[in-house]
Amino acid sequence: QVQLVESGGGLVQPGGSLRLSCAASGSILSYYSKGWYRQAPGKQRELVATITNGDMTNLADSVKGRFTISGDNVKNMVYLEMNSLKPEDTAVYYCNFHRVVGPNSYAMDYWGKGTLVTVSS
């Protein structure tokens, strides 16, 4: 079992920056991939960024060039650096750990409770 706690959210003006952190504890395996998702009011939860244990990253088109995902496998931390924030970035941001197990590749996902990012003047 993995427990995830996000932090770093808050109110920021358009064009500003925030750095989100995700701290993981519990039975953490090195081959989890990690990611950040977000859910805005009235919308489905969407992928923002992912990072593999080997530090391969993927970003949603909407945040490319503005956001950066990084991780520290030793400290079991995942970060999301957000720059040039826009009002449409306003959402609850969730940390995710993902892996597949067994011969049938069952998916296992762990989620934090989220941290709210509000981009507004």
Side-chain angles (χ1 to χ4, degrees):
Q1 189 176 20
V2 176
Q3 296 81 45
L4 307 176
V5 179
E6 304 96 336
S7 62
L11 176 64
V12 64
Q13 294 183 342
S17 299
L18 283 175
R19 185 173 187 255
L20 305 183
S21 298
C22 174
S25 62
S27 301
I28 304 168
L29 300 173
S30 62
Y31 50 85
Y32 279 101
S33 61
K34 299 92 176 177
W36 288 94
Y37 292 71
R38 67 186 182 187
Q39 187 167 21
K43 294 185 177 181
Q44 297 292 107
R45 188 174 299 187
E46 65 176 354
L47 174 67
V48 177
T50 59
I51 184 169
T52 69
N53 191 60
D55 293 334
M56 295 177 60
T57 62
N58 184 55
L59 298 171
D61 288 341
S62 60
V63 304
K64 285 181 179 177
R66 300 189 297 120
F67 291 11
T68 302
I69 186 172
S70 61
D72 187 327
N73 292 324
V74 176
K75 296 181 179 180
N76 295 316
M77 298 287 293
V78 186
Y79 308 97
L80 185 68
E81 182 72 32
M82 305 185 295
N83 301 307
S84 301
L85 283 162
K86 305 174 181 179
E88 50 263 45
D89 295 318
T90 296
V92 176
Y93 284 71
Y94 298 91
C95 181
N96 168 258
F97 274 40
H98 173 81
R99 66 182 287 245
V100 294
V101 296
N104 294 319
S105 298
Y106 295 111
M108 297 182 65
D109 285 278
Y110 298 93
W111 297 90
K113 291 182 172 61
T115 185
L116 177 63
V117 173
T118 302
V119 185
S120 176
S121 298

